[in-house]
Amino acid sequence: MKDHEIVAQYYDGNPQLEWDRLARSGPLRPEFVLSARYLERYIRPGDRVLDLGGGPGRYSLHLAQMGCAVTLADLSAGNVRFAAEKARQMGLPLRALQANALDVKALEGERFDHVLCMGPLYHLLKHEERVLCITNALRLLRPGGCLFAAFIQH
């Protein structure tokens, strides 16, 4: 089984777990609150945002609540379904699609004001894959746009 299949299988199994991990209350609350505050410095209502590897949509839905046009793309079909259902429940517009950060053909030709890459770099262990992920994110970013990335240094 390939690395990306293992990651997708893990997140397909329980999207609620990742959603709860970044809850607005609880032990990891600071991660979400601090990240959201930083995003809010640069992202404005009406901006087009791509949440590449957006998981169950915690950041996507926060930005949609701000009035952004958000596209969530995630490797896990379970995460994509979960995020789309949360958006429906909250009455928020969200474009959600299954896509691998290493292969963004489904988004070819699109440009976004901001690209979030808050998840994929945690799971990409090979240097070449991390470079490809960031290259793809930058290709989808409009000139002058902002790329937000989170990672663990290997």
Side-chain angles (χ1 to χ4, degrees), residues 29-50:
R29 181 175 189 259
E31 178 180 343
F32 176 78
V33 171
L34 291 173
S35 295
R37 187 171 297 154
Y38 187 74
L39 295 172
E40 291 164 7
R41 284 183 174 179
Y42 300 95
I43 300 175
R44 299 287 174 251
D47 286 353
R48 291 191 71 222
V49 180
L50 171 62

Side-chain angles (χ1 to χ4, degrees), residues 38-127:
Y38 187 74
L39 295 172
E40 291 164 7
R41 284 183 174 179
Y42 300 95
I43 300 175
R44 299 287 174 251
D47 286 353
R48 291 191 71 222
V49 180
L50 171 62
D51 192 356
L52 186 59
R58 182 66 77 177
Y59 292 108
S60 291
L61 295 174
H62 176 74
L63 295 170
Q65 284 178 317
M66 287 177 45
C68 298
V70 182
T71 297
L72 176 141
D74 196 82
L75 180 64
S76 163
N79 275 340
V80 171
R81 283 191 300 274
F82 185 93
E85 177 59 21
K86 280 285 186 190
R88 189 193 64 73
Q89 290 170 4
M90 297 169 75
L92 294 170
L94 177 70
R95 178 179 168 213
L97 57 100
Q98 186 177 3
N100 186 332
L102 301 179
D103 180 6
V104 292
K105 288 180 187 137
L107 297 163
E108 203 63 46
E110 295 193 51
R111 294 294 175 267
F112 298 88
D113 299 308
H114 309 280
V115 176
L116 278 61
C117 194
M118 305 293 281
L121 297 174
Y122 290 109
H123 303 293
L124 298 172
L125 303 179
K126 297 176 185 150
H127 174 77

